[in-house]
Amino acid sequence: MLPNISFLEASVAVGLGFALVFVHLWRRSRQDLQEDGPSQPRTMGSRVLIGGGSGFIGTALRKLLEHRGYQVTLISRTPGKNKITWDEVKKTGLPECYAVVGMQGTNILNIFRRWTDGFKKEVWDSRVETTKTLAQAISEASNPPKVWVSFSGVGYYKPSYVYDYDEDSPGGDFDYISQLATAWEEAAKLPAENTNTREVIIRSGVVLGRDGGAIKQMYFSFWFGSGGVIGDGMQFFPWIHINDLTRLVVHALEDEKVTGVLNGVAPETITNWDFTKAFNTVLLRPGFFPLPRPIVNFALGEERAKMLTEGQAVVPKRTLESGFTFNFPKIKMAFDNMFSYRKWFFSY
């Protein structure tokens, strides 16, 4: 026999349940910011300019920097509060700042955009030409920033089933994606006579976080149980948790010994099969349906589809040698963090 519970009592119970979920998620968001230690006060001159700061990664980085006491100004196409425009940078140069971070770029895996020459040029210009703009503004500044952090991608390295790539491995010259990475990094270089600004390049893997990026794009296919491997699933899947990537940027900003290229990838090397298994496990889903390679090629264009159907085993050798420690070095730890509320509440 069911207990005699009034509508009011049931409503209160449901409300308390959702309140507990809300509090838990709020505490998790605070923990994400605090996992790198307490906020550190900065001087009023510690302004950081972020190119591309309105996206998934940029938003997370802005929150972490503000938590640590920095003033953050975004470089944007449109004016607004705590923003300057790209046109302003071109015309008047950089405002005085402690550091510049360049992570701007059109989403290359936008499934709603066909892989045409026009879109390829948009992807290229949104990374290479804007980075040239920032590098030129830095080199021409009367009081240049102390640090210049620019992004690139692990597509710099040639896909392989057998090689492990570190920051000193060759690459960057075998297809459009690798040539884009090379041009992006070349655009970030300051003149040889520069001695005032420390330069760092982060070659990022796939960024995982519950609020955007790859996880947000794939969530519903996995939620409905149709999240399977891509192709044979044996291609490597270089990845990094959003918390670790933003902390790596802060590490590059604050550690004066850090220069050159850092691989922004987790220490654990996994395949697409490992990623798919971990995702389905945390969601309690079977994941029966693989995604055949020809379908991915048809949907994205074969040249772009290689970012999903092929992969590289990339290791963060210089990143670890620089003294950086990962909060989420293993994929299981990353998924447990992103979906921790499921352990004690319910699976949708």
Side-chain angles (χ1 to χ4, degrees):
M1 180 180 295
L2 292 175
N4 185 17
I5 300 175
S6 70
F7 176 77
L8 178 59
E9 290 171 329
S11 299
V12 170
V14 171
L16 285 174
F18 280 104
L20 286 171
V21 172
F22 174 81
V23 169
H24 176 73
L25 295 179
W26 177 82
R27 291 180 64 186
R28 286 298 311 169
S29 69
R30 298 301 301 170
Q31 183 181 347
D32 286 348
L33 290 175
Q34 294 168 0
E35 276 168 338
D36 194 34
S39 174
Q40 300 179 5
R42 302 283 165 184
T43 65
M44 292 301 290
S46 293
R47 174 193 286 186
V48 177
L49 301 183
I50 304 179
S54 59
F56 166 53
I57 304 171
T59 299
L61 177 60
R62 175 182 57 79
K63 290 178 179 179
L64 179 58
L65 289 172
E66 290 176 345
H67 175 73
R68 296 179 68 81
Y70 289 98
Q71 296 180 19
V72 178
T73 300
L74 306 184
I75 307 173
S76 173
R77 290 187 296 269
T78 57
K81 183 180 180 181
N82 297 323
K83 290 182 179 180
I84 59 173
T85 66
W86 288 100
D87 287 339
E88 288 179 89
V89 173
K90 292 177 182 178
K91 293 176 182 177
T92 62
L94 296 177
E96 187 170 331
C97 60
Y98 168 74
V100 178
V101 180
M103 54 174 56
Q104 65 285 344
T106 296
N107 179 10
I108 193 170
L109 288 177
N110 185 343
I111 61 174
F112 300 106
R113 299 292 300 274
R114 294 179 58 236
W115 191 240
T116 62
D117 289 341
F119 183 58
K120 288 166 67 173
K121 184 178 187 305
E122 181 182 334
V123 167
W124 188 284
D125 290 349
S126 68
R127 288 163 172 78
V128 177
E129 296 305 317
T130 54
T131 300
K132 286 181 180 178
T133 296
L134 291 177
Q136 181 176 348
I138 291 170
S139 64
E140 294 176 353
S142 57
N143 186 16
K146 299 294 183 184
V147 197
W148 162 222
V149 178
S150 181
F151 271 64
S152 178
V154 294
Y156 174 88
Y157 307 109
K158 190 172 184 176
S160 170
Y161 287 100
V162 295
Y163 293 114
D164 289 345
Y165 296 106
D166 62 32
E167 290 87 346
D168 297 318
S169 300
D173 59 357
F174 55 89
D175 64 3
Y176 171 86
I177 304 299
S178 65
Q179 291 164 5
L180 171 61
T182 296
W184 198 357
E185 295 180 16
E186 286 295 320
K189 290 183 177 179
L190 301 178
E193 59 270 19
N194 167 67
T195 59
N196 298 314
T197 303
R198 187 162 47 85
E199 301 174 57
V200 181
I201 291 175
I202 297 177
R203 290 181 185 148
S204 175
V206 179
V207 183
L208 305 182
R210 59 177 171 261
D211 298 324
I215 295 298
K216 187 174 182 179
Q217 289 182 317
M218 294 185 286
Y219 179 80
F220 282 104
S221 63
F222 278 81
W223 180 67
F224 282 112
S226 58
V229 298
I230 297 175
D232 62 10
M234 292 298 102
Q235 66 273 28
F236 287 109
F237 185 86
W239 65 278
I240 187 169
H241 191 289
I242 182 69
N243 171 273
D244 282 329
L245 183 61
T246 55
R247 289 176 54 252
L248 181 58
V249 174
V250 172
H251 175 67
L253 295 181
E254 298 182 352
D255 191 329
E256 296 181 356
K257 300 186 296 296
V258 176
T259 60
V261 176
L262 302 176
N263 281 337
V265 296
E268 183 182 40
T269 301
I270 66 171
T271 63
N272 175 260
W273 187 91
D274 297 321
F275 169 81
T276 303
K277 179 182 178 183
F279 203 166
N280 280 314
T281 297
V282 79
L283 293 181
L284 306 178
R285 296 296 186 267
F288 288 136
F289 305 103
L291 189 58
R293 184 168 179 161
I295 292 179
V296 183
N297 290 341
F298 176 78
L300 296 177
E302 186 172 356
E303 187 175 47
R304 177 170 54 162
K306 289 179 180 179
M307 297 179 68
L308 301 178
T309 60
E310 300 178 359
Q312 313 88 342
V314 183
V315 294
K317 180 174 179 286
R318 292 191 74 246
T319 302
L320 292 170
E321 291 174 347
S322 74
F324 182 76
T325 57
F326 287 82
N327 282 338
F328 305 100
K330 296 183 178 295
I331 192 66
K332 183 180 185 303
M333 297 170 65
F335 273 112
D336 283 349
N337 170 264
M338 289 185 285
F339 297 98
S340 61
Y341 62 90
R342 293 183 178 278
K343 290 184 175 181
W344 59 273
F345 196 62
F346 58 86
S347 179
Y348 294 130

